[in-house]
Amino acid sequence: MKLMNRAAILGLLLLSGSEQVLSFTVNSNTQSLVKGSANSQTISSSSTTTSSSSSTELSMAVGGSIIKTAQKLGGPTTAAIAATAVLGTAGVKFILDKPSRTYEDGSVAREYDAWTQDGILEYYWGEHIHLGYYNDEEMAAGYKKKNFIQAKYDFIDEMMKLGGIDAAAVSASGADEIKVLDVGCGVGGTSRYLAKNLGPKASVTGITLSPNQVKRATELASEQGVDNAKFTVMNALEMEFEDNSFDIVWACESGEHMPDKEAYINEMMRVLKPGGKYVMATWCQRDDREVPFSDKDERDLKFLYEEWTHPYFISIEKYKEIIDATGLMNEVTTADWVKETIASWRHSIWVGVYDPRGFIFKPNKYLKCARDAYCLERMHRAFDRGLMQYGMFAATKKSS
């Protein structure tokens, strides 16, 4: 069993950590990974701009180093396991580098139905299928010390602040009801949180393409006694609501899956009441109009599009231009929250390493879990080197 654990750690290093400086500390009772410096929780930007061939050479060089280290630590048997891991890496990487969930009509609903049904995502991410928020102090102390689920609640709180969404103001409002729309609600974690936080005056509606997500969101709302949150299957590009229906429109990490970004924005602006508040968080790619994408950039983006059924990303700047072009909104506040959210990618992997119970008894999901972990690492690197941005947007609708 100890040898198997060592092999698993060696394989993980080769697949997702080949650009970090690591060492093994192994004794009869414990196994730990020790990074080469206290500040090596993220990959340096310069190390992630290598070409495919140089990346492979680096992986093999690290593999050789790991074999030598393993030989010193555990003798020939451990070295043999390490060598097997190194030899298998190229083949495994070849498989994982081929995207498996390309966007097509119906693919978003299908994938989220599957993720909801297998329960793995909910086991690790809880009720919130979005990144978490980590402040400077938490990053300095080590992101893995923060509760992974709490980081997601902290993100919602910070997003509320950005959007000027205040529970006290809602309570003091003269309106009988404050209507909130959550566009791309997942299993309803944020919808229920907003419903609880904003109080009984708030009426929250969550929409998603996934019937399984609506079913699970409704179950959780009933279990938690949240009567002021409801969920329905609806296409965000063709919403069935009347114009000027909602006081708050909230969209967190749904724009990535939209095949028509302009229709996505236009629909949200349409259903927002005059004077209403709009806040959005979405993954964006760097604006390539100033610095064109390199071949590597294009390859990396293609993988990120096609592995998690994204049609395409656009930049923060482009989103703002689309919002401005509606002519309906006051000045748009934008921000890039890469620094505040980037820890989520690797934290997502580590929670699975620390607690494999979410997937260990589902062997038919092993490959999918491996693909997701690999994509999480690829996402981390893309955000870390500036290819990707974490776009935040807030604005109010003009009164007339």
Side-chain angles (χ1 to χ4, degrees):
M1 180 61 70
K2 291 179 181 178
L3 292 178
M4 289 175 65
N5 289 340
R6 291 177 187 176
I9 294 171
L10 287 166
L12 180 62
L13 279 180
L14 288 167
L15 283 172
S16 63
S18 62
E19 294 169 2
Q20 300 178 71
V21 180
L22 301 108
S23 63
F24 282 101
T25 301
V26 183
N27 57 42
S28 59
N29 298 314
T30 62
Q31 298 178 132
S32 63
L33 298 178
V34 182
K35 293 191 175 180
S37 71
N39 297 320
S40 62
Q41 290 189 351
T42 60
I43 301 173
S44 68
S45 295
S46 61
S47 69
T48 59
T49 58
T50 58
S51 67
S52 263
S53 59
S54 61
S55 177
T56 301
E57 291 169 3
L58 178 59
S59 296
M60 292 304 99
V62 172
S65 177
I66 289 175
I67 293 171
K68 291 178 182 178
T69 303
Q71 192 169 25
K72 292 178 182 178
L73 289 170
T77 303
T78 302
I81 294 172
T84 302
V86 170
L87 291 173
T89 297
V92 172
K93 190 174 186 300
F94 178 78
I95 294 171
L96 296 182
D97 275 336
K98 286 189 173 295
S100 64
R101 288 166 277 193
T102 302
Y103 177 85
E104 61 184 15
D105 187 34
S107 62
V108 174
R110 182 176 66 245
E111 290 302 325
Y112 278 106
D113 272 349
W115 274 319
T116 304
Q117 187 170 0
D118 67 37
I120 296 172
L121 191 61
E122 186 177 338
Y123 181 88
Y124 289 112
W125 287 52
E127 300 178 32
H128 304 277
I129 310 173
H130 59 76
L131 301 189
Y133 188 96
Y134 302 76
N135 62 34
D136 291 340
E137 292 76 15
E138 289 162 343
M139 290 298 290
Y143 68 85
K144 285 181 282 184
K145 293 181 180 179
K146 181 166 185 170
N147 183 282
F148 181 62
I149 302 299
Q150 183 59 48
K152 298 174 183 298
Y153 286 103
D154 290 348
F155 182 93
I156 300 170
D157 289 337
E158 294 298 328
M159 189 168 168
M160 289 179 70
K161 291 177 187 176
L162 180 71
I165 300 169
D166 183 82
V170 169
S171 179
S173 170
D176 294 331
E177 183 182 46
I178 299 295
K179 297 181 70 176
V180 182
L181 176 64
D182 183 2
V183 181
C185 64
V187 294
T190 297
S191 300
R192 289 186 296 277
Y193 185 80
L194 290 171
K196 297 172 188 175
N197 191 288
L198 297 179
K201 278 190 175 183
S203 174
V204 182
T205 300
I207 65 171
T208 172
L209 290 173
S210 165
N212 281 358
Q213 286 188 329
V214 167
K215 179 176 181 292
R216 184 60 180 147
T218 303
E219 289 172 351
L220 289 169
S222 177
E223 291 172 11
Q224 297 169 14
V226 184
D227 299 326
N228 56 334
K230 61 182 179 180
F231 308 92
T232 187
V233 175
M234 191 179 296
N235 183 354
L237 304 184
E238 298 176 347
M239 287 193 266
E240 300 164 17
F241 307 114
E242 298 292 331
D243 295 356
N244 308 320
S245 294
F246 294 92
D247 300 279
I248 298 169
V249 171
W250 176 289
C252 183
E253 297 188 8
S254 55
E256 301 86 340
H257 292 296
M258 300 298 167
D260 186 336
K261 311 301 187 194
E262 290 188 7
Y264 173 60
I265 294 297
N266 290 341
E267 277 293 273
M268 290 190 288
M269 305 300 96
R270 178 183 69 79
V271 302
L272 183 64
K273 291 180 181 179
K277 297 177 178 180
Y278 165 73
V279 61
M280 176 175 74
T282 188
W283 309 343
C284 299
Q285 63 190 34
R286 189 188 76 234
D287 190 346
D288 67 328
R289 289 173 292 189
E290 292 187 11
V291 181
F293 293 135
S294 66
D295 289 344
K296 174 178 170 52
D297 293 337
E298 296 282 4
R299 289 195 304 271
D300 287 348
L301 286 172
K302 185 176 186 296
F303 175 85
L304 299 180
Y305 295 162
E306 296 182 0
E307 180 57 23
W308 279 346
T309 194
H310 301 119
Y312 62 98
F313 306 133
I314 61 175
S315 67
I316 291 174
E317 292 83 358
K318 183 61 178 177
Y319 266 119
K320 184 178 184 303
E321 291 169 10
I322 295 173
I323 296 170
D324 288 340
T326 67
L328 298 174
M329 306 299 288
N330 293 311
E331 183 63 28
V332 181
T333 297
T334 66
D336 183 356
W337 279 11
V338 166
K339 184 180 74 169
E340 293 84 355
T341 59
I342 193 168
S344 292
W345 301 110
R346 286 186 173 164
H347 206 170
S348 300
I349 299 171
W350 281 111
V351 294
V353 172
Y354 292 146
D355 179 10
R357 288 174 296 175
F359 65 88
I360 198 68
F361 300 113
K362 300 176 181 180
N364 62 327
K365 302 297 181 183
Y366 284 179
L367 179 57
K368 184 177 181 180
C369 290
R371 296 197 70 96
D372 287 338
Y374 186 68
C375 192
L376 287 165
E377 176 63 19
R378 292 283 297 263
M379 279 288 187
H380 170 94
R381 297 184 186 194
F383 277 89
D384 187 51
R385 71 183 183 88
L387 177 60
M388 293 290 291
Q389 306 167 317
Y390 197 94
M392 300 296 300
F393 306 82
T396 57
K397 191 170 183 178
K398 293 177 181 178
S399 297
S400 59

